[in-house]
Amino acid sequence: MPLALLALAIGAFGIGTTEFVIMGLLPEVAADFGVTVPTAGLLVTGYALGVVAGAPVMTVLGTKVSRKRMLMLLMGLFIAGNLLSAAPVFGLMLTGRIVASLAHGAFFGIGSVVAAGLVAPQKRAGAIALMFTGLTVANVVGVPLGTFIGQTAGWRTTFVVVAGLGVLGLLGVARLVPDMPKPEGVRLRHELAAFRNAQVLLAMAMTVLGFGGVFAAVTYVAPMMTEVAGFAGSSVTWLLVLFGLGMVAGNLVGGRFADRALMPMLYLSLGGLTLVLALFTVTAHHKVTAALTLALIGALGFATVPPLQKRVLDHAHGAPTLASAVNIGAFNLGNALAAWLGGLVIAAGLGYTAPNWVGALLAGSALLLAFLSAALQRRDEARGAQEPRPAAPEPVHL
């Protein structure tokens, strides 16, 4: 694989760390600002909504510059947002989270196109998965380390360190990613045309609901593991490592099989995710089963990422950049929806395991959409096969 994928993975590592580290620090942040845990959960929701809005806007703004330069500009925005996230006022911290989030969707969307363009067509899902490996490894190394730093040196220190990761990502992109200008002749109207494709829209809807199911459970994983499973607060760090290891495994498996059997991979991952999230309401009451279930949620949830991202690229013919970025925004729309719904059921007094039922319903809905998408594709292929072919020209006799 090209070395440029390493640079993209470095940027993804920094972005993944800042996205997920807040979940392990919610109790500390809530206590510091004197707000409830669901209120502190707005830091998750705000970030996710920032990704949703920033993905298309930043991608459109970047149409006039090369993809490499845009990736560098996005990393600069990410650095500024994380420095602002260390502010001593909750409103300023929320603003910093939103600023950092504006870089997220466009970075992964443009990065996916760059990664896919670096390899042969039959290896595109694998290349995308390798870029996303930075995001998943962040949950094994960056998030637990950031949680540990936050619990020992203060959560503001965590965001300063994350800003430093952004600097490394910026240098990696500048040094290793080749200058790949936007293809000639591709205009904004071509990018927008992809959204008229039903398969693109269905893939994005599966993204919203499928990964939203994951976030319904993991947004409030810290209080769930401490208040329900009985873990000590210090155990949240290694529990996040387990979740991250599951994400790494699921990402690599999803990328490998998406190039071979994309839809069966989606059926398996979304069906398994629905079942495991439903079981989490029971397994969360015991330490061993809670830890194992958390790892499975990470694996099954992230096994959907390479197939769904590749499906969007495959059906956004000729102009995939905006659709790719919007699909990353769709992941975070699901995250925001799930974090909000999870906060609602907790605030309603249903307990810290109630968000798992929300997650199971979201993932199950994504599975139904996967079956619908496959049925529509089979119908379209059958119609294409039945269309009469033009008659061969009569031979010319000299």
Side-chain angles (χ1 to χ4, degrees), residues 8 19 31 58 81 110 140 178 209 238 240 287 310 345 351 355 386:
L8 297 175
E19 178 181 19
M58 299 306 294
I110 296 171
V140 180
L209 297 171
W238 68 262
L240 290 175
K287 289 184 178 180
K310 182 176 185 294
V345 295
Q386 293 173 359

Side-chain angles (χ1 to χ4, degrees), residues 234-371:
S234 58
S235 298
V236 173
T237 298
W238 68 262
L239 287 168
L240 290 175
V241 171
L242 279 179
F243 176 70
L245 287 171
M247 290 178 70
V248 172
N251 177 59
L252 294 176
V253 171
R256 181 177 181 84
F257 286 96
D259 281 321
R260 302 179 182 180
L262 192 150
M263 292 309 295
M265 188 67 226
L266 281 179
Y267 299 151
L268 179 63
S269 55
L270 289 172
L273 182 61
T274 302
L275 177 62
V276 169
L277 283 168
L279 290 175
F280 201 21
T281 58
V282 177
T283 61
H285 291 273
H286 306 279
K287 289 184 178 180
V288 174
T289 55
L292 291 175
T293 306
L294 190 60
L296 281 174
I297 290 172
L300 292 167
F302 230 84
T304 67
V305 175
L308 286 172
Q309 193 71 2
K310 182 176 185 294
R311 192 159 179 82
V312 169
L313 292 177
D314 287 346
H315 289 279
H317 303 294
T321 307
L322 182 59
S324 176
V326 171
N327 193 51
I328 300 298
F331 278 104
N332 287 270
L333 178 59
N335 298 350
L337 174 66
W340 176 65
L341 291 174
L344 283 182
V345 295
I346 291 173
L350 299 179
Y352 284 120
T353 61
N356 299 329
W357 284 116
V358 174
L361 290 172
L362 292 173
S365 300
L367 178 61
L368 293 178
L369 289 183
F371 287 126

Side-chain angles (χ1 to χ4, degrees), residues 141-165:
V141 180
V143 173
L145 181 59
T147 302
F148 175 76
I149 292 172
Q151 292 174 342
T152 55
W155 59 265
R156 290 183 177 85
T157 306
T158 297
F159 288 100
V160 175
V161 172
V162 171
L165 292 175

Side-chain angles (χ1 to χ4, degrees), residues 108-151:
F108 280 108
I110 296 171
S112 293
V113 176
V114 171
L118 292 170
V119 298
Q122 68 273 19
K123 296 182 178 180
R124 286 177 178 172
I128 294 170
L130 283 177
M131 183 192 69
F132 276 96
T133 297
L135 178 63
T136 57
V137 171
N139 284 272
V140 180
V141 180
V143 173
L145 181 59
T147 302
F148 175 76
I149 292 172
Q151 292 174 342

Side-chain angles (χ1 to χ4, degrees), residues 158-238:
T158 297
F159 288 100
V160 175
V161 172
V162 171
L165 292 175
V167 174
L168 291 178
L170 174 60
L171 294 175
V173 171
R175 178 69 176 173
L176 300 176
V177 173
D179 197 1
M180 300 174 66
K182 186 176 179 180
E184 294 293 332
V186 176
R187 300 290 184 267
L188 180 59
R189 66 178 183 274
H190 301 125
E191 299 278 0
L192 293 172
F195 297 95
R196 294 199 295 267
N197 188 308
Q199 293 295 350
V200 171
L201 298 178
L202 282 170
M204 290 179 178
M206 284 184 270
T207 296
V208 171
L209 297 171
F211 211 72
V214 175
F215 249 68
V218 301
T219 296
Y220 303 99
V221 68
M224 191 190 308
M225 294 296 97
T226 55
E227 300 295 330
V228 179
F231 284 103
S234 58
S235 298
V236 173
T237 298
W238 68 262

